Amino acid sequence: MNRKILDRKPRSTQFSLLGMLLFSAVGWFAFTLPDHPDAIVIDAFARLPLEVPLLGLALLFARGRPARFLAWLVTLFVFAILLLKLADIGTQAAFQRPFNPYLDARMLMDGWNLLSGSIGIAATLAAIVAITAALIGSGFLFLRAIDWMAMAEGRMRNGLLVAFAAPLLIGAFGFAAGQPRVEARMSRYLLERLALIASSVEDLRAFEADLARTDGQTSGAGLFSAITGQDVVLIFVESYGRSAIEDPRYASVTMSRLQAVETQLASASLSSASAWVGSPTVGGLSWLAHGTLLSGLWVDSQARYDRLMRSEKPSLNRLFADAGWKSVAVMPAITMAWPEAAYFGYDRILAAADLGYRGQPFNWVTMPDQYTLSAFERRVRPLPVSERKPVMAEIALISSHAPWTPVASLVDWQAVGDGSVFDTQAMGGESPSVVWADPERVRGHYIRTIDYSLETLGSYMARFGNDTVFVILGDHQPASIVTGTDAPRGVPLHVVSADAALIDRFRRAGFAAGMIPKPDTREWRMDQMRAVLIDLFTMIR
């Protein structure tokens, strides 16, 4: 018996020491981990968060039932900080903004759809299970570490008290003296997150006021007189941002392509003008850009978008329908129910299943852009506009959507058929896991997909541009892995038409001539562009 007691004390001492080390390591990591991916460097962890020794002392002094409650509370606090920072890193990398618990929790399903479409359902499930298990296991181990610390008695307990008290005391003096390597900001970090939630609630109240105001456009009757009898094709190009034109890494590719498209359009007697528009989103959430342009309201969050979908604010699509156009949506990325479509008021919706594609998907991308445009022509515009009602179509092109592999290539329009001609392309190329293992490879694939989309659009407009006004714009900039962290939020917008007088009105309004907006070309906010389009499509000047 005595031997067992003697054996237990060393083991108890070892576990208490191990518990202190685990508690300190996890707490130190959670509190010093930067909340932005670009700030994650070794030097960032060379700091002393005073909360760690302070919490350690509190846990050692607590006894009985309050000690157990405090252990759970500290575990919750530490892991809440850790999870928020990991979420910050993810949203900063994808959308270049902090994580907002109030707004971003609604995007979990969108994340699932993107990941499962890119790497498969099984791999996505495995990743989720692994991450969840790691977090639960880490939390359990952290709680056990606190229990092991509480087991300390006698000299070991006094030693642990000194181990926490010494850095706390020294750090407090350093903190008071303004030492930058000593900090106590985790409570403020949580309070800032709560303040962000509060400001988001207030932002929704402000948006309600915006919805209540009218800009005078409650009906489209009498509008768009400058383009009577012409189809209007509004095309959003996925991830086509200002960086694709101005970033030195991509400029040679995109500028060359836009110059070639401009020449191609001119040979087909089409004129063009270009400008910049500021997108409400970056890196993803394309529907926020769609909602912003079509409503004329700044829709920069999922909460605003959801509220807009329940409003009576007439969309640009509805205004065209009121004025005599047939409103059509061509959405190759829509593979499930789409209740939001009711807000936009389309007369006809062509989702992925309605476009008749029989080829293989390009990972997440359901079909290449050329097929989308070809299907639109066959299914919506088989007759010239003189023999039918004019069409106002909203088309989303998605070949330039992440993971940007494989990269499609243009085929003869007569060979497009049911899309099976693209099978070789879809089954070729590198896998997403290979591409995304190397940031340079990601960037190379990105600009190749943008080049493909622009080449396809140039060929399409030159071939099918009779009696048509094209409005082509990017939905947002790509993720920061492509653009860097401080890239502008602008995206190009091009207007193309055979009506030179119409294009000249856009140029007089501040657009640059041709397909290449200049660095000093005016940039409108995307919500302002709706009024610009309505004005220039209506006013005869």
Side-chain angles (χ1 to χ4, degrees):
M1 178 67 69
N2 290 339
R3 178 173 295 177
K4 290 182 179 179
I5 293 174
L6 290 174
D7 288 344
R8 188 188 307 159
K9 288 184 178 179
R11 286 200 298 271
S12 175
T13 298
Q14 292 167 1
F15 274 108
S16 297
L17 181 59
L18 178 61
M20 187 271 287
L21 293 175
L22 283 173
F23 168 82
S24 301
V26 173
W28 169 78
F29 177 78
F31 295 163
T32 60
L33 177 68
D35 54 10
H36 195 288
D38 291 343
I40 301 177
V41 294
I42 296 297
D43 190 59
F45 296 95
R47 292 178 286 140
L48 172 62
L50 292 178
E51 293 92 345
V52 173
L54 182 62
L55 291 174
L57 286 174
L59 289 166
L60 285 173
F61 278 117
R63 283 285 185 266
R65 185 170 297 176
R68 194 62 184 167
F69 174 77
L70 183 60
W72 279 97
L73 190 63
V74 168
T75 301
L76 180 63
F77 177 71
V78 170
F79 276 81
I81 295 289
L82 180 60
L83 288 174
L84 282 173
K85 287 191 173 184
L86 291 174
D88 275 339
I89 291 169
T91 51
Q92 287 284 6
F95 309 125
Q96 299 181 29
R97 60 171 176 77
F99 174 71
N100 187 321
Y102 179 71
L103 302 177
D104 294 337
R106 308 181 188 202
M107 298 190 303
L108 291 175
M109 184 55 66
D110 300 309
W112 162 266
N113 291 336
L114 178 59
L115 276 177
S116 60
S118 298
I119 64 175
I121 293 177
T124 304
L125 277 174
I128 292 173
V129 169
I131 292 171
T132 303
L135 288 172
I136 292 175
S138 299
F140 175 78
L141 185 60
F142 186 78
L143 198 58
R144 290 295 296 157
I146 294 175
D147 289 340
W148 292 337
M149 281 197 327
M151 292 168 49
E153 298 177 355
R155 291 182 179 178
M156 173 52 66
R157 182 176 182 79
N158 293 334
L160 294 183
L161 288 171
V162 171
F164 285 125
L168 180 62
L169 184 62
I170 296 171
F173 280 112
F175 184 78
Q179 169 56 245
R181 295 289 181 178
V182 180
E183 58 186 29
R185 65 184 189 90
M186 288 304 100
S187 296
R188 187 171 73 250
Y189 178 77
L190 284 181
L191 289 175
E192 288 172 351
R193 201 50 50 96
L194 291 174
L196 182 60
I197 293 173
S199 67
S200 298
V201 174
E202 184 60 34
D203 177 71
L204 279 182
R205 293 197 185 100
F207 190 62
E208 291 282 357
D210 291 341
L211 285 171
R213 285 193 290 269
T214 175
D215 57 4
Q217 303 295 346
T218 57
S219 170
L223 296 180
F224 314 119
S225 55
I227 53 174
T228 300
Q230 299 183 65
D231 288 335
V232 178
V233 181
L234 171 63
I235 300 176
F236 286 91
V237 181
E238 174 65 38
S239 298
Y240 177 36
R242 188 163 185 157
S243 293
I245 294 176
E246 294 188 334
D247 192 312
R249 293 172 293 186
Y250 315 122
S252 61
V253 174
T254 308
M255 294 283 278
S256 176
R257 177 58 64 193
L258 289 174
Q259 289 168 355
V261 169
E262 190 173 327
T263 301
Q264 197 171 16
L265 296 178
S267 67
S269 300
L270 298 176
S271 301
S272 58
S274 301
W276 305 110
V277 292
S279 177
T281 183
V282 62
L285 310 181
S286 305
W287 53 92
L288 302 185
H290 292 226
T292 294
L293 180 72
L294 296 170
S295 71
L297 296 173
W298 191 249
V299 185
D300 61 348
S301 71
Q302 186 64 42
R304 280 190 166 220
Y305 184 82
D306 291 343
R307 180 60 188 89
L308 175 66
M309 295 300 101
R310 302 192 302 271
S311 77
E312 298 298 321
K313 176 77 173 179
S315 68
L316 185 62
N317 320 75
R318 287 185 184 273
L319 296 181
F320 267 99
D322 292 343
W325 275 258
K326 181 179 181 179
S327 178
V328 178
V330 181
M331 298 291 165
I334 298 296
T335 59
M336 299 180 291
W338 188 29
E340 295 86 353
Y343 163 76
F344 296 102
Y346 306 112
D347 296 312
R348 185 180 180 188
I349 299 172
L350 294 174
D354 306 311
L355 290 168
Y357 183 65
R358 298 293 178 264
Q360 294 294 319
F362 286 59
N363 284 309
W364 183 90
V365 175
T366 56
M367 63 194 72
D369 292 346
Q370 187 179 10
Y371 181 85
T372 299
L373 296 171
S374 176
F376 166 65
E377 290 299 320
R378 294 195 313 270
R379 294 168 183 264
V380 179
R381 304 204 307 172
L383 299 174
V385 69
S386 59
E387 300 178 30
R388 56 171 170 77
K389 192 175 184 178
V391 167
M392 185 277 175
E394 176 192 352
I395 303 176
L397 297 184
I398 59 174
S399 283
S400 50
H401 194 291
W404 302 308
T405 184
V407 180
S409 57
L410 197 66
V411 302
D412 187 280
W413 288 95
Q414 296 295 331
V416 171
D418 64 0
S420 57
V421 67
F422 297 104
D423 282 355
T424 302
Q425 298 180 25
M427 301 304 290
E430 297 174 309
S431 68
S433 59
V434 171
V435 171
W436 283 76
D438 179 4
E440 285 302 319
R441 189 169 282 158
V442 171
R443 297 176 191 118
H445 277 69
Y446 161 75
I447 199 58
R448 287 171 59 200
T449 62
I450 291 293
D451 186 56
Y452 161 75
S453 293
L454 293 176
E455 180 187 18
T456 300
L457 281 167
S459 177
Y460 167 70
M461 290 186 291
R463 185 181 182 90
F464 299 102
N466 291 335
D467 299 317
T468 304
V469 178
F470 297 98
V471 179
I472 299 166
L473 73 160
D475 49 10
H476 54 70
Q477 286 266 51
S480 59
I481 190 174
V482 173
T483 64
T485 53
D486 297 319
R489 289 205 170 195
V491 298
L493 184 145
H494 314 288
V495 182
V496 178
S497 172
D499 186 347
L502 174 68
I503 297 302
D504 189 53
R505 285 198 293 277
F506 277 89
R507 293 170 182 166
R508 292 201 303 270
F511 282 59
M515 289 293 292
I516 303 175
K518 308 299 186 290
D520 59 349
T521 299
R522 180 175 175 180
E523 177 174 317
W524 284 266
R525 289 200 344 168
M526 196 173 283
D527 56 335
Q528 298 170 333
M529 185 49 62
R530 170 179 135 134
V532 172
L533 294 175
I534 291 173
D535 181 40
L536 296 177
F537 285 158
T538 302
M539 302 297 292
I540 305 294
R541 296 176 180 173

